[in-house]
Amino acid sequence: MIKYKVISQLLLALPFVAAFFLYVWAVTSSNATYRKWSLYRTSSWTLGILCAISSVAGPLAARAHMDFTAHMTGHLLLGMLAPLLMALGAPFTLLLRTLPVHAARKVSKLLKGRFVRFISSPVTASVLNVGGLWILYTTSLYGMMHHSFFVHVAVHIHVFLAGYLFTVSMISIDPSPHQKTFTYRAFVLVLALAAHGILSKYVYAHPPMHVSAEEAQQGAMLMYYGGDLIDLCLIVLLCYEWFKRVQKVSFT
């Protein structure tokens, strides 16, 4: 069992390690041709990577198998804070300016495709993100992820990807050919935040399988207040984007 836990930690952490070095390589490569890449973007990406790795490997990840509060801390880091910080790193903008023109055009065409349009929709992203959490904590899936290697890995991959999709569907850091209006995104964001808050209260009153009432209450409060804090950052970024757009229109 310990062997599987070590393998799962390595399997989940390695993509983030690779993503960090690819990002650094892209920054170095593109800086040789274009204006220096923002230190703020690089720092955001690095902090996001660190948050993600700390949630899937190391002491916190090991403790999350037996402590629901540690599990919930990992959930906040992997599914909310890491996606937000990594989105602020503008990885697709960096990718497009690093690749040769013909390759960048192919990536741009892919981003404009129907599949990206579907999964990047705020509604789809919210269902995948918050809906996935409802399934995790209200069914036997939470217990299964601590006894099945494949379920454990699959749940963590889903939590990160769904969290990232949800974040980029709400704020425009990278090129967003399918971006919805501010009103639409704000409306869906409010509903998604409400569903997340209701889920935390549900977990408080109805502990997931194999979780004690005391642990569930501590984890649920962390999910509620910690989630609100990160969501507040998302709201500020969305409002700031709206403010910049209005200001730009006013001056033209």
Side-chain angles (χ1 to χ4, degrees):
M1 191 64 183
I2 295 177
K3 178 182 175 182
Y4 286 134
K5 288 180 181 178
V6 172
I7 293 174
S8 68
Q9 289 189 17
L10 288 173
L11 194 63
L12 289 169
L14 281 177
F16 292 108
V17 174
F20 170 73
F21 283 108
L22 282 173
Y23 190 96
V24 171
W25 171 81
V27 171
T28 305
S29 177
S30 63
N31 279 352
T33 308
Y34 301 103
R35 187 178 60 181
K36 299 293 182 186
W37 185 249
S38 165
L39 181 60
Y40 158 74
R41 301 259 181 242
T42 305
S43 301
S44 295
W45 181 263
T46 303
L47 286 174
I49 292 287
L50 290 175
C51 287
I53 291 177
S54 66
S55 67
V56 298
L60 179 62
R63 188 165 181 76
H65 286 278
M66 62 191 83
D67 184 336
F68 188 67
T69 305
H71 163 83
M72 194 54 72
T73 303
H75 155 71
L76 291 176
L77 290 174
L78 183 65
M80 299 185 75
L81 188 56
L84 177 60
L85 290 169
M86 292 173 73
L88 291 175
F92 284 96
T93 302
L94 178 62
L95 177 67
L96 290 174
R97 88 170 199 161
T98 303
L99 291 173
V101 174
H102 67 282
R105 284 176 178 167
K106 289 182 179 178
V107 173
S108 181
K109 185 178 180 180
L110 181 67
L111 292 175
K112 293 177 181 177
R114 291 182 180 179
F115 178 70
V116 175
R117 176 195 292 272
F118 173 71
I119 63 170
S120 65
S121 161
V123 172
T124 305
S126 298
V127 170
L128 289 172
N129 188 30
V130 186
L133 294 178
W134 270 91
I135 293 174
L136 176 61
Y137 296 124
T138 61
T139 69
S140 59
L141 184 61
Y142 177 76
M144 289 172 60
M145 72 175 284
H146 293 301
H147 296 91
S148 169
F149 171 82
F150 294 104
V151 175
H152 177 81
V153 172
V155 166
H156 281 77
I157 292 174
H158 175 84
V159 166
F160 172 74
L161 292 179
Y164 187 84
L165 267 177
F166 177 74
T167 302
V168 298
S169 73
M170 295 298 169
I171 55 175
S172 299
I173 303 298
D174 277 317
S176 305
H178 311 297
Q179 194 64 280
K180 302 295 184 182
T181 65
F182 291 106
T183 304
Y184 182 90
R185 282 183 279 160
F187 179 71
V188 177
L189 179 60
V190 169
L191 292 180
L193 300 190
H196 191 269
I198 292 171
L199 176 59
S200 64
K201 293 180 179 178
Y202 182 89
V203 171
Y204 187 96
H206 304 87
M209 193 176 294
H210 307 304
V211 176
S212 69
E214 184 180 357
E215 280 190 19
Q217 290 170 5
Q218 292 176 351
M221 286 192 291
L222 180 61
M223 181 181 183
Y224 187 85
Y225 293 110
D228 276 357
L229 190 60
I230 299 171
D231 287 335
L232 179 61
C233 297
L234 198 58
I235 292 171
V236 169
L237 288 169
L238 180 61
C239 291
Y240 181 64
E241 183 187 332
W242 170 80
F243 173 76
K244 284 199 305 180
R245 185 71 59 86
V246 170
Q247 198 175 37
K248 184 177 179 181
V249 171
S250 301
F251 280 107
T252 56

